[in-house]
Amino acid sequence: AQKVTQAQTEISVVEKEDVTLDCVYETRDTTYYLFWYKQPPSGELVFLIRRNSFDEQNEISGRYSWNFQKSTSSFNFTITASQVVDSAVYFCALSEAGDDKIIFGKGTRLHILP
Amino acid sequence: DAGVIQSPRHEVTEMGQEVTLRCKPISGHDYLFWYRQTMMRGLELLIYFNNNVPIDDSGMPEDRFSAKMPNASFSTLKIQPSEPRDSAVYFCASSPDRGWSEQYFGPGTRLTVT
């Protein structure tokens, strides 16, 4: 069965610090997709990134970067030089090939303190 | 495009009343998902549709919940009769493709049942 674990329930860091959000997943499929979503205080979930299981290259987008490691079944998300606007709940999610559904982790609430 | 539209944004009702939540997906998206978010259970998939047909309703908590999609541009989630434990934020999301495609979420409906 597929499962996504975000062990960090809540994190607080001071603005400009780097922070990494952990995500560990479980799946029996060799083909699958991993996602990160952001839920700001306004409430709407916003898609950030999708990776497929065959592409282990790290991704960087501005201050955001993602580290995908199949050997440890992890897909971690790092925010560099954090800003107050990064405060949100971040969800990691998994979808197996052939499945229409996305399974979400419980989320990590990130507080960026000014 | 206007994005996924949900109405109402907030609903307060008394136990026993019927509640209807509405969703307009993004035009051209073949998949529509209904989720419920609570602090205790996180983000749960209730039901999803493909081309207006319900595919998986295994997440619907009980017979008091029902969902319909009469056409490609409209879906409803109905709770009858409502109970206080139904209080949650209900999200609608649409997707242009199967599980490997990102989902676009609406702003959610915050339901409070007193």
Side-chain angles (χ1 to χ4, degrees):
Chain A
Q2 52 183 331
K3 184 180 177 182
V4 176
T5 301
Q6 295 180 257
Q8 303 152 308
T9 305
E10 199 159 348
I11 300 175
S12 294
V13 300
V14 176
E15 195 174 19
K16 297 183 183 178
E17 288 186 354
D18 299 346
V19 58
T20 296
L21 310 182
D22 298 333
C23 173
V24 174
Y25 62 91
E26 294 177 29
T27 177
R28 295 175 185 168
D29 273 15
T30 56
T31 303
Y32 51 90
Y33 301 84
L34 296 164
F35 305 80
W36 275 95
Y37 283 80
K38 174 182 180 179
Q39 186 177 33
S42 58
E44 189 168 336
L45 277 84
V46 177
F47 165 79
L48 295 178
I49 190 173
R50 177 188 66 234
R51 305 295 287 177
N52 72 58
S53 53
F54 298 109
D55 185 0
E56 283 193 77
Q57 281 196 347
N58 291 334
E59 178 96 8
I60 298 175
S61 177
R63 296 183 298 106
Y64 294 174
S65 63
W66 291 269
N67 184 295
F68 176 26
Q69 291 197 342
K70 290 176 74 170
S71 60
T72 55
S73 297
S74 64
F75 185 44
N76 296 338
F77 173 29
T78 297
I79 302 175
T80 303
S82 60
Q83 299 177 1
V84 172
V85 294
D86 296 326
S87 296
V89 180
Y90 291 86
F91 293 92
C92 181
L94 165 72
S95 179
E96 295 174 335
D99 194 348
D100 298 325
K101 299 183 291 189
I102 293 178
I103 302 301
F104 287 86
K106 295 293 188 186
T108 297
R109 184 175 297 275
L110 177 63
H111 300 278
I112 308 298
L113 308 173
Chain B
D1 204 324
V4 176
I5 299 172
Q6 290 187 249
S7 65
R9 294 293 308 277
H10 302 272
E11 178 79 35
V12 180
T13 190
E14 292 184 349
M15 182 174 63
Q17 296 297 305
E18 177 179 296
V19 175
T20 299
L21 311 181
R22 297 172 177 81
C23 174
K24 177 180 169 53
I26 293 173
S27 177
H29 283 192
D30 292 336
Y31 287 82
L32 184 140
F33 303 82
W34 281 101
Y35 292 89
R36 178 173 68 176
Q37 185 178 37
T38 61
M39 289 295 292
M40 291 297 294
R41 302 174 69 91
L43 199 60
E44 303 173 278
L45 176 65
L46 300 176
I47 185 172
Y48 77 92
F49 296 82
N50 177 27
N51 291 324
N52 314 338
V53 177
I55 303 300
D56 186 344
D57 66 354
S58 59
M60 297 286 259
E62 47 199 276
D63 292 345
R64 297 185 297 107
F65 285 69
S66 63
K68 294 182 179 180
M69 192 165 185
N71 56 61
S73 59
F74 183 65
S75 177
T76 60
L77 178 67
K78 185 177 295 186
I79 308 172
Q80 165 63 17
S82 58
E83 296 182 3
R85 59 192 168 120
D86 301 330
S87 297
V89 180
Y90 291 81
F91 287 101
C92 175
S94 70
S95 173
D97 210 333
R98 304 194 67 179
W100 52 77
S101 182
E102 62 266 31
Q103 295 180 13
Y104 296 83
F105 282 76
T109 295
R110 182 173 295 278
L111 173 65
T112 303
V113 183
T114 61

